Amino acid sequence: MRIRIVDAFTDRPFAGNPAGVLLLDDVFPDDDWLQNVAMEVNHAETAFAHRLPEGGDADWALRWFTPVAEVAMCGHATLATAHVLHITGAHEGPVRFATRSGVLIATPAEDGSITLDFPTAPLTPVEIPAGVAEALGAEPVAAFDTGPNVGDLLVELADEKTVLGLSPDHRALGAYSSRGIIATARAADPALGYDYVSRCFFPNVGIDEDPVTGSAHTALAPHWSPRLGRDDLTGLQASRRTGLVRTTLRGERTLLTGRAVTVIEGELRA
């Protein structure tokens, strides 16, 4: 079968977040095989999808695996999968994915971008956990639980410079949530084309720092939109690769818009 590596939330190769994408001919193989392929690909996520019968609530079934675990939600690998379906002609127009997080819709636009319709993360303010400042390397000004689908602790920091300068103890960060930590701050200069910055550290699923995280933006959008007074925002995830995610808050749903580029296509022989 064909396997592709797609850089998501970017319009150029070697940026954004790479994901493996496999379109399967039939139902999902056993979980051990899926996990082994994801371990071999060794990117933040590998997406596996197969077509569903016509007339149902969804068009394709979709699952995501990191090198060490299956995850409940992944934005960049969903964007990558929709990109592959679109450029190969395997599916035209909006595509509905049946996932562990419900039905997720990806809609391609004429300009080449793709918009994902995801559930908004329910943010709950929490006490800043003892020790998190030491593990992160900076003192948070606020902390929030992001609910079961995202599974992170979101922490707001004083400013963009602090977020960019983080050098955390990744092992220590794993104690504070099921997946990891989202660190964020308001953009220092919105004239540069983004409204807020973030970095994401996910040691509990084998990812010290995720390059660009769509699912995290379902929590970042409801955090920043009320503070900035706009439903439509752009977030910069300031990893080494960097990427931009346009977010639109619509109550219980958040729209995530970005682009994707296929960088590798080959044959899986195992």
Side-chain angles (χ1 to χ4, degrees):
M1 69 186 69
R2 305 303 291 172
I3 183 169
R4 297 167 175 86
I5 305 299
V6 177
D7 289 345
F9 292 115
T10 183
D11 59 0
R12 57 188 175 88
F14 315 124
N17 200 352
V21 178
L22 288 93
L23 303 183
L24 307 172
D25 292 331
D26 205 343
V27 298
F28 295 115
D30 66 79
D31 288 2
D32 286 343
W33 185 87
L34 297 171
Q35 188 63 72
N36 283 333
V37 172
M39 181 175 61
E40 190 77 8
V41 172
N42 201 34
H43 284 313
E45 266 87 12
T46 297
F48 302 89
H50 69 79
R51 194 186 303 272
L52 294 172
E54 294 184 5
D57 293 333
D59 307 301
W60 290 74
L62 177 62
R63 295 172 71 181
W64 315 276
F65 286 76
T66 78
V68 301
E70 185 174 9
V71 296
M73 180 189 291
C74 180
H76 87 277
T78 304
L79 180 67
T81 305
H83 166 78
V84 169
L85 291 174
H86 182 61
I87 65 171
T88 61
H91 190 94
E92 296 184 0
V95 55
R96 301 168 299 168
F97 292 111
T99 77
R100 288 174 59 181
S101 298
V103 175
L104 307 177
I105 301 173
T107 303
E110 291 184 1
D111 66 359
S113 66
I114 295 172
T115 296
L116 309 178
D117 183 337
F118 271 41
T120 300
L123 295 185
T124 304
V126 296
E127 293 283 340
I128 297 171
V132 74
E134 291 76 15
L136 194 59
E139 187 70 47
V141 298
F144 302 84
D145 179 85
T146 60
N149 284 340
V150 176
D152 299 326
L153 180 72
L154 185 150
V155 296
E156 183 179 344
L157 302 182
D159 51 38
E160 178 176 334
K161 181 179 179 181
T162 302
V163 174
L164 299 183
L166 291 175
S167 183
D169 179 339
H170 296 287
R171 181 172 297 181
L173 289 181
Y176 300 104
S177 68
S178 61
R179 185 171 70 164
I181 299 278
I182 305 167
T184 187
R186 189 181 302 228
D189 182 5
L192 295 177
Y194 56 92
D195 302 290
Y196 57 90
V197 297
S198 66
R199 290 175 67 188
C200 295
F201 309 102
F202 302 143
N204 290 337
V205 291
I207 304 166
D208 282 348
E209 181 167 6
D210 199 32
V212 191
T213 315
S215 60
H217 284 77
T218 67
L220 290 162
H223 178 75
W224 286 114
S225 280
R227 289 162 174 77
L228 299 177
R230 302 198 319 276
D231 290 337
D232 297 296
L233 300 173
T234 298
L236 170 70
Q237 193 155 332
S239 64
R240 181 178 178 183
R241 293 174 63 100
T242 75
L244 292 173
V245 182
R246 299 202 311 269
T247 58
T248 302
L249 187 62
R250 290 187 175 173
E252 295 183 354
R253 309 296 295 184
T254 295
L255 305 184
L256 311 172
T257 300
R259 297 174 180 270
V261 181
T262 301
V263 292
I264 297 174
E265 182 175 350
E267 182 179 351
L268 180 65
R269 306 185 64 142

